[in-house]
Amino acid sequence: MPEASTAKGRATQARIVEGAAEVLREFTTLDDIRDRTRTSKSQLFHYFPGGKDELLLAVARFEAERVLEDQQPHLDCLDSWESWYRWRDAVVERYELQNDRCPLGSLFLQVGRSEPGARAIVAELMRQWQERIAEGIRTLRARELIPASVDADRNAAALPAGIQGGVSIMMSTGSSAHLRAALDTGTDQLRHAAAGADRAEAD
């Protein structure tokens, strides 16, 4: 995607992407996007010369960034058990508001999950998500709230996997019970590690 050279151009480009994100959660046409974003066909192809596929990838990046933004400030402040539960509540609330629609999932059905650009977006999202959770676990270790033996990277990989599984089930059933269970189980495992260490020291 070419970068607009002026502030006005960047604003137009951003308006197209954000407006497209709103309407592309359901299958739509470029005409629908132009109507929503008040842009001409020439503007659309100026900023997205690759057409709908290029725009879909830009929207996918936008939605991927929102996945992390919607978890803030909690995701970057996982430094106490209270903060972990606030993060858990923020994640559940985000997906419950989406109900049975997952913007990223809908977009990838249109652009194709095997498309290299789409795979790169998902890989980067998961990398950032996992690293921020891992940093929270390392903070708990540094504060001696969990043992130093707890594997930050492994536990951080399991949590987004559980979240995504819970979201998939919620989209099929309308119930967030599995999503809540995945988050609670991941956090409980960390807390149980801390309790186990305390018992070992007492013995």
Side-chain angles (χ1 to χ4, degrees):
M1 182 178 72
E3 185 69 26
S5 59
T6 66
K8 183 178 180 181
R10 287 190 292 274
T12 299
Q13 194 171 31
R15 187 176 79 247
I16 293 171
V17 171
E18 187 169 0
E22 294 175 7
V23 295
L24 281 173
R25 289 175 184 141
E26 299 175 1
F27 188 82
T28 190
T29 67
L30 289 179
D31 287 339
D32 294 327
I33 295 166
R34 289 197 299 105
D35 289 343
R36 176 66 65 89
T37 60
R38 305 181 307 281
T39 50
S40 66
K41 189 173 184 178
S42 61
Q43 280 182 304
L44 200 63
F45 282 94
H46 172 73
Y47 294 112
F48 303 95
K52 187 172 182 178
D53 285 348
E54 184 176 355
L55 178 55
L56 281 169
L57 286 175
V59 174
R61 278 189 289 271
F62 173 81
E63 294 287 10
E65 290 168 3
R66 283 186 58 181
V67 169
L68 300 180
E69 288 172 3
D70 287 350
Q71 298 175 44
Q72 299 296 5
H74 316 291
L75 184 59
D76 286 346
C77 299
L78 297 173
D79 54 6
S80 66
W81 295 121
E82 292 77 13
S83 65
W84 275 80
Y85 288 116
R86 286 194 293 270
W87 169 67
R88 175 257 195 202
D89 291 343
V91 172
V92 171
E93 181 181 14
R94 177 189 195 276
Y95 286 108
E96 284 183 337
L97 286 173
Q98 289 179 183
N99 197 8
D100 61 350
R101 293 190 304 172
C102 178
L104 272 176
S106 299
L107 285 163
F108 290 135
L109 285 175
Q110 294 187 50
V111 78
R113 291 181 182 275
S114 61
E115 207 277 343
R119 293 174 69 90
I121 290 167
V122 175
E124 179 59 17
L125 166 62
M126 299 309 294
R127 186 195 68 77
Q128 289 191 41
W129 200 355
Q130 180 178 337
E131 177 53 33
R132 293 181 191 195
I133 296 171
E135 184 58 33
I137 296 173
R138 287 190 285 267
T139 300
L140 294 181
R141 289 193 318 205
R143 294 190 170 192
E144 299 183 346
L145 293 174
I146 58 175
S149 59
V150 171
D151 189 326
D153 292 326
R154 189 168 185 271
N155 281 275
L159 273 162
I163 291 169
Q164 290 304 107
V167 169
S168 295
I169 294 172
M170 187 177 73
M171 290 173 64
S172 299
T173 66
S175 170
S176 62
H178 294 84
L179 172 61
R180 292 171 180 271
L183 280 159
D184 288 343
T185 299
T187 305
D188 288 348
Q189 285 181 339
L190 293 173
R191 296 204 74 162
H192 289 159
D198 290 341
R199 287 194 297 270
E201 288 181 5
D203 293 342

